[in-house]
Amino acid sequence: MEKFLLIVREDVQKIARLTKEEWNANIREMSDWVEELAQSGNYVSGEPLLTIGRYVSRDHVLSDGPFIEAKEAVSGFIMIKAENLNQAAAIAQTCPRVIRNELILEVRPVLVMDESVKPIMYVDK
Amino acid sequence: MINPIDKVQEETNHLYRSHYGKMVSWLLYFSSDIDLDTAEDIVQDSFANALLAWRNDGIPANPAGWIFTVCRNKALNKIKERKRTRGIGEEDFQSVDPEFSASVLDDQQLKLLFACAHPDLSPKTQVIITLKYVANLKVEAIASVFGMTIDGIDKVLVRARQKIRDEKILLAVPDLSTLKNRIPIVHKIIYLIYNEGYKSSWGKEILREELCEEALFMNKELLDSNIGNKETAALHALMLFNAARFKARFGPDGEMRDLEEQDRSLWNNDLIALGCEFLKQSRGETISTYHYEASIAYLHCREKHFQSTDWVSISNLYFRLLKINPNPFVELNYAIALYYAGEKQKAISILSELQQKPFLNQYYALNASLGKIYFLEGNYRVAKDFFLKTLKQTHFQAEKDFIQKMINKIDI
């Protein structure tokens, strides 16, 4: 099995407005899903992110980067194991909050250095 | 006396359970002009016809053959109909893939199982289509297995059907090397089906036991074929050890009982002995997660009393399991084993760390375990806080009742 990073994107302004109980309910739902992934041997790790942060470039440190401005920003990450990219995407599709169209998961294979193969940026066929 | 009409219903239900997937895949082989939806419609129609006809005329001598013939005729009519509307030539009848019979697997059920283990599908989808085409469960039953709506299962099936069509999943029999690669996925499917049946949170339900039996049956077929391996044997041992405790997990009123409270005289010694046989057979060079889990289950099964459990060995096994399958849910079990093995501080610090992870903080089993440990330590105030938190984290009545019982113990 290979590793994949699921980057969670959603409307962070909306999350900031959630009550504690609503936020807990969201997390609980994700916990159930994560448990399901663990049971099938696909879960590695994952954390939600706070809606604050710093945006750093050479000349600036901005305290309200695009994660605050934009409607959609990264709100968490989940590392999974899957047979291939198709399965990783299929697993992402089973997320209950994806099904309800509340968030988007970007699925990215983790690059593994293999001595026998030159690392290439492969393009999906 | 059994009502003859019920007898017909019973016979068709039975046939459906044993033949639905086989008939669907047979129709797909029969003609390339029959697609999956059509094949499923034809089989379902044929079963409906059988029910009506048999109620009038009685059950025929060869019921499965009867339905096969009806399916075949319906398929032929369908093909002719299409030919009429499209005016296409004989190529529609190029039927029966000869490769089919040349496969290393001669059992149709196993072929379908390997077909469902397609690596592009999510494990959940693999399980759902296995329940549909190999275990031949109806959509309503599958929905109840997962606590999902029929609509939810249908959505999964629609997506899966697309894939089944595009990749000819039920049609193409994988070659030997593909089969070997798919064995771990097949194990996983069987294990997940078993666990769905075994989950104690659902309480006593007949369907649950059937799922466990189905998983054991599939795994046995795999063992008896030339394709099963040491992991298959380890998985078999694990399922048997757990099955041995099946009946003891609930009290006379259906209330949940944990390992400590179970009446061990209800454990099935025959199944435990059989499990030991398979555990012996599973010895080999590689040690899989199933080997560790089966060994842990064995250490529980062999003890007559909870107090004599060898928690040191169990915690060592969990430690090694964590090395090959690191995840917080295994860590939780590791910590519990450590606690009973006497390493209380280490156990509590692992549990507290897990509690700080957002995805685990709201997790029923973690808070229930923390509650139990503080209870055992005599810290009733903290224990009660955890139990109260836990009550909100499960929607299963059996689990709520179990927690309520613990709270009542504190309140007395």
Side-chain angles (χ1 to χ4, degrees), chain A residues 28 31 35-36 84 86-87, chain B residues 119-121 124 359 362-363:
Chain A
R28 202 145 53 226
S31 305
E35 189 198 3
E36 198 180 295
N84 57 43
N86 285 336
Q87 189 185 50
Chain B
D120 283 2
L121 300 169
K124 189 163 194 174
F359 289 146
Q362 302 289 316
Y363 180 54

Side-chain angles (χ1 to χ4, degrees), chain A:
Chain A
M1 291 223 269
E2 300 154 38
K3 268 189 184 173
F4 296 84
L5 183 64
L6 310 188
I7 303 163
V8 187
R9 291 180 196 281
E10 64 187 304
D11 183 344
V12 283
Q13 290 168 22
K14 210 163 152 188
I15 317 179
R17 288 195 303 269
L18 292 179
T19 66
K20 177 85 180 147
E21 203 26 65
E22 287 169 330
W23 193 83
N24 276 349
N26 271 350
I27 292 287
R28 202 145 53 226
E29 197 175 26
M30 290 298 272
S31 305
D32 288 346
W33 183 57
V34 157
E35 189 198 3
E36 198 180 295
L37 296 187
Q39 237 189 40
S40 55
N42 298 100
Y43 182 72
V44 181
S45 64
E47 315 282 353
L49 300 175
L50 292 176
T51 50
I52 52 165
R54 296 284 183 271
Y55 194 67
V56 179
S57 62
R58 190 188 64 185
D59 301 325
H60 303 284
V61 174
L62 299 178
S63 58
D64 49 355
F67 40 85
I68 302 300
E69 298 291 314
K71 200 166 154 49
E72 192 190 283
V74 176
S75 64
F77 64 90
I78 299 169
M79 187 74 87
I80 65 165
K81 282 185 284 188
E83 299 288 339
N84 57 43
L85 182 55
N86 285 336
Q87 189 185 50
I91 288 171
Q93 271 186 311
T94 65
C95 172
R97 299 194 57 219
V98 167
I99 292 170
R100 279 210 312 278
N101 204 17
E102 290 176 6
L103 52 80
I104 289 168
L105 291 174
E106 183 178 332
V107 183
R108 305 289 300 271
V110 174
L111 176 66
V112 179
M113 295 298 262
D114 182 342
E115 293 301 313
S116 62
V117 184
K118 261 189 263 171
I120 45 157
M121 297 301 131
Y122 73 90
V123 179
D124 203 3
K125 50 183 175 179

Side-chain angles (χ1 to χ4, degrees), chain B residues 267-397:
Chain B
W267 289 3
N268 185 327
N269 288 323
D270 295 337
L271 290 181
I272 294 173
L274 197 56
C276 289
E277 287 301 311
F278 283 103
L279 193 57
K280 271 181 215 147
Q281 277 182 36
S282 76
R283 280 190 197 138
E285 279 159 26
T286 54
I287 304 181
S288 65
T289 57
Y290 305 118
H291 285 86
Y292 288 124
E293 286 190 62
S295 305
I296 292 166
Y298 165 69
L299 288 179
H300 285 301
C301 278
R302 72 170 187 185
E303 298 300 336
K304 287 276 162 281
H305 306 283
F306 179 79
Q307 285 71 20
S308 55
T309 309
D310 181 1
W311 287 106
V312 174
S313 299
I314 290 175
S315 63
N316 285 335
L317 287 167
Y318 272 121
F319 181 76
R320 281 188 260 170
L321 178 57
L322 263 179
K323 290 271 174 223
I324 55 169
N325 182 27
N327 83 56
F329 302 91
V330 178
E331 231 173 300
L332 167 60
N333 286 319
Y334 171 55
I336 295 169
L338 279 178
Y339 175 83
Y340 285 113
E343 295 199 56
K344 294 186 179 180
Q345 272 321 311
K346 194 170 171 190
I348 290 172
S349 91
I350 292 175
L351 292 175
S352 310
E353 229 168 89
L354 285 175
Q355 230 220 328
Q356 285 168 7
K357 293 180 189 277
F359 289 146
L360 269 288
N361 184 276
Q362 302 289 316
Y363 180 54
Y364 165 86
L366 176 62
N367 292 301
S369 305
L370 276 160
K372 175 104 192 252
I373 284 177
Y374 280 104
F375 175 82
L376 291 173
E377 290 297 295
N379 194 338
Y380 299 125
R381 195 184 51 78
V382 179
K384 191 174 171 180
D385 285 347
F386 276 114
F387 286 136
L388 288 174
K389 197 175 167 194
T390 308
L391 270 186
K392 283 187 263 172
Q393 291 167 340
T394 176
H395 46 276
F396 293 116
Q397 199 52 44

